[in-house]
Amino acid sequence: MSELTAYEISKKSREKGRPTAVKYIEKITENFFELHGDRKFGDDKSVVCGVAEIHGKPVTVIGIEKGDSTNEKVLRNFGCAHPEGYRKALRLMRQAEKFRRPVLCFVDTSGAFCGIDAEERGQAEAIADNIMSMMGLKTPILSVVIGEGGSGGALALAAADEVWITETSTYSVISPEGCASILFKDSSRAKEAAEALKMTAPDLKELGAVEKVIAEDGFGEEFFEKLKDDIAAFFEEKSKMSTDELVARRYDRFRRIG
């Protein structure tokens, strides 16, 4: 995708028709059973969580779901999670740690929901708690950015042993339009902002913010089969480590970035 500019890639990451988290879960896992609720407030439908299998081995799966149709997007709040969504995810991660299941996260969000109700229910605290807890979680964690990886809303599910990204996805502190509006006071300079943000897969790989760039190749059956095999191999490798080594390497990964 080297022929595309950073801004063109950012637009492709939001493109209608891209496979969303639910599609990845359907194609990559078997026997997925969804679990609901954060046990504190309610169930956030923008975060899909459950237990499943990959090649017959148990895994906890968490995905931020944007929805496909207009009605689905509204139901899923366009992939902008409330604090109860992040708390639900953390509940499932702690359950995974208890039963020694690896955790697989699919990230696709422009950012956490910034409405007043989300702030009143502790949005910042929920995101911070996820990041802190994931850093010490005693089970393997893999996060895959499959569209937009926006701001703390993405990072709350990406404090992982490794972060992978598909080649036309982005991962950044802010959108190009938001960055241009804040820094340049001119949203029309979004193309310039996109280049400066280093938000594309090759830039992120060079910076060490992601470990693997996944070739998309039309999102066909071969794409999902290969990704499934790669994920299974990753968890197999990480499962051989002691929990102390696993957590120490995860900590060191984030200390090295930048």
Side-chain angles (χ1 to χ4, degrees):
M1 292 295 171
S2 57
E3 70 275 9
L4 297 178
T5 67
Y7 189 55
E8 287 170 337
I9 290 173
S10 77
K11 289 195 290 185
K12 275 193 82 69
S13 73
R14 317 165 191 166
E15 204 168 54
K16 182 175 173 57
R18 287 179 72 94
T20 62
V22 166
K23 181 75 167 180
Y24 277 81
I25 293 170
E26 175 190 323
K27 291 289 187 180
I28 288 172
T29 71
E30 308 111 29
N31 303 318
F32 176 69
F33 185 84
E34 187 174 359
L35 297 169
H36 301 273
D38 68 342
R39 302 298 187 264
K40 292 183 179 181
F41 179 81
D43 184 50
D44 186 348
K45 295 192 181 302
S46 61
V47 181
V48 177
C49 302
V51 293
E53 295 177 338
I54 295 179
H55 291 322
K57 295 191 176 179
V59 60
T60 289
V61 188
I62 300 164
I64 302 180
E65 173 62 28
K66 283 185 172 181
D68 191 12
S69 67
T70 300
N71 288 340
E72 183 76 6
K73 287 178 184 293
V74 172
L75 177 70
R76 304 291 187 179
N77 202 33
F78 298 85
C80 296
H82 290 78
E84 50 270 21
Y86 294 114
R87 291 178 179 131
K88 173 171 66 171
L90 184 55
R91 179 174 76 84
L92 268 289
M93 284 188 260
R94 286 175 171 152
Q95 183 192 82
E97 180 182 56
K98 178 179 179 180
F99 293 103
R100 305 192 178 208
R101 287 192 300 264
V103 175
L104 173 61
C105 298
F106 293 111
V107 177
D108 186 14
T109 180
S110 59
F113 187 59
C114 56
I116 190 169
D117 54 338
E119 298 297 334
E120 287 174 343
R121 294 199 297 274
Q123 184 72 286
E125 183 271 342
I127 291 171
D129 194 16
N130 272 36
I131 294 169
M132 182 177 70
S133 299
M134 289 178 78
M135 290 300 297
L137 203 72
K138 295 178 179 178
T139 196
I141 314 170
L142 174 64
S143 294
V144 185
V145 182
I146 59 171
E148 285 185 283
S151 193
L155 191 58
L157 292 183
D161 299 304
E162 288 191 9
V163 176
W164 298 357
I165 186 169
T166 65
E167 61 184 342
T168 62
S169 293
T170 58
Y171 187 30
S172 175
V173 68
I174 194 170
S175 70
E177 295 85 359
C179 177
S181 296
I182 293 169
L183 291 186
F184 307 139
K185 311 302 181 189
D186 182 1
S187 62
S188 69
R189 295 175 66 181
K191 293 180 182 178
E192 184 181 346
E195 295 292 341
L197 283 167
K198 303 294 184 186
M199 64 196 303
T200 66
D203 287 330
L204 293 161
K205 182 76 161 58
E206 186 177 343
L207 290 167
V210 304
E211 279 74 21
K212 184 182 181 73
V213 177
I214 305 163
E216 292 170 4
D217 195 24
F219 298 111
E221 291 298 324
E222 289 185 6
F223 166 82
F224 288 108
E225 281 300 319
K226 184 176 188 312
L227 182 55
K228 180 177 183 174
D229 291 342
D230 289 348
I231 290 170
F234 173 84
F235 285 141
E236 182 68 25
E237 177 190 347
K238 292 296 180 183
S239 67
K240 296 173 183 175
M241 295 182 186
S242 69
T243 54
D244 287 344
E245 182 184 8
L246 185 72
V247 172
R249 287 196 180 192
R250 190 182 306 145
Y251 178 81
D252 289 343
R253 174 191 185 272
F254 284 90
R255 292 287 292 176
R256 289 194 305 269
I257 295 174

